[in-house]
Amino acid sequence: MLPNELLDLPAERASADPGSVLLRRGEFADAIVFVESGQVGLGLTDGDTMTHLLGTVDGPFWLEATAAVLGLPSAVDGVAETAVTLRRVPLAAFQASLNALPKSALAVLHDVAQAHRQQTELAVSRLAKDAEARCAEWLLRHAEPAGEAGSLLVMLRQRKRLIAAQLGIAPETLSRVLRHLREQSLISGSGRVVNLVN
């Protein structure tokens, strides 16, 4: 939890009914929300309806403080699942308060926020993308230039079960996806070398 002094910052008090959208993924907020009471679902929405739920959080808590600490847009959507009471702290006041922390404490907070953001983005990616999309993204991220101009290959340096675990899928699913990509002539090769054809 962030320092209690942040609760003393000037804030606009508000309430939200169940179903109210409190966060929009990809949007920069001009205020950080402190939920005093109530439950908020975090995940991905389609319009105002939660379609992929990552989890729920109960007040009191700071809603998506990681984005505010890092100066990034929200990584998730947030929808009130119950009636919620909250405070909206202007982002500038929040960041000024953080900057007043000792440099070592601010560095630790930044590093923790960075790690949390990476985990959140991974979880959102797993929710939003099917197994084939995740596998294709992984192949592109690990591609290396091959001998011919413009051609790429991926050396499978890990066992397939470890790669599957990174992707959040079963090893059998990984094998099936690779076979499907070969059938579509998107990749070629066998064994530990995968050529990215297209």
Side-chain angles (χ1 to χ4, degrees):
M1 185 141 169
L2 293 171
N4 287 333
E5 293 80 22
L6 292 172
L7 296 178
D8 297 330
L9 292 172
E12 171 195 339
R13 289 184 176 272
S15 60
D17 295 325
S20 299
V21 177
L22 303 177
L23 281 178
R24 289 260 183 226
R25 181 173 176 239
E27 288 185 5
F28 285 93
D30 59 355
I32 182 168
V33 174
F34 179 78
V35 175
E36 293 178 334
S37 65
Q39 187 174 72
V40 177
L42 300 175
L44 302 177
T45 61
D46 182 7
D48 293 344
T49 305
M50 186 67 70
T51 54
H52 298 290
L53 184 67
L54 271 173
T56 58
V57 285
D58 295 300
F61 67 93
W62 290 96
L63 187 58
E64 185 62 314
T66 294
V69 169
L70 298 174
L72 296 173
S74 177
V76 294
D77 295 313
V79 177
E81 294 197 340
T82 65
V84 170
T85 57
L86 52 90
R87 296 183 209 180
R88 292 185 188 279
V89 176
L91 193 57
F94 177 81
Q95 290 174 332
S97 181
L98 289 184
N99 291 334
L101 293 172
K103 290 199 183 311
S104 58
L106 190 56
V108 169
L109 180 61
H110 189 273
D111 289 349
V112 170
Q114 196 82 354
H116 181 259
R117 180 68 176 217
Q118 288 173 351
Q119 290 300 310
T120 301
E121 287 174 348
L122 178 62
V124 167
S125 171
R126 288 183 175 180
L127 276 179
K129 297 176 184 170
D130 61 18
E132 190 167 307
R134 280 183 260 160
C135 185
E137 185 178 81
W138 187 92
L139 288 169
L140 288 171
R141 201 169 49 244
H142 290 84
E144 305 169 10
E148 301 169 27
S151 61
L152 300 170
L153 64 82
V154 177
M155 297 292 298
L156 301 179
R157 295 182 173 92
Q158 300 172 318
R159 294 181 177 272
K160 283 187 180 175
R161 67 180 170 77
L162 292 175
I163 296 170
Q166 291 173 32
L167 298 172
I169 59 178
E172 299 78 23
T173 303
L174 176 60
S175 295
R176 186 171 60 249
V177 167
L178 290 175
R179 184 170 57 251
H180 183 65
L181 292 174
R182 279 188 190 95
E183 290 168 357
Q184 291 181 308
S185 299
L186 296 174
I187 64 172
S188 66
S190 58
R192 305 197 64 73
V193 179
V194 175
N195 298 299
L196 304 186
V197 177
N198 184 355

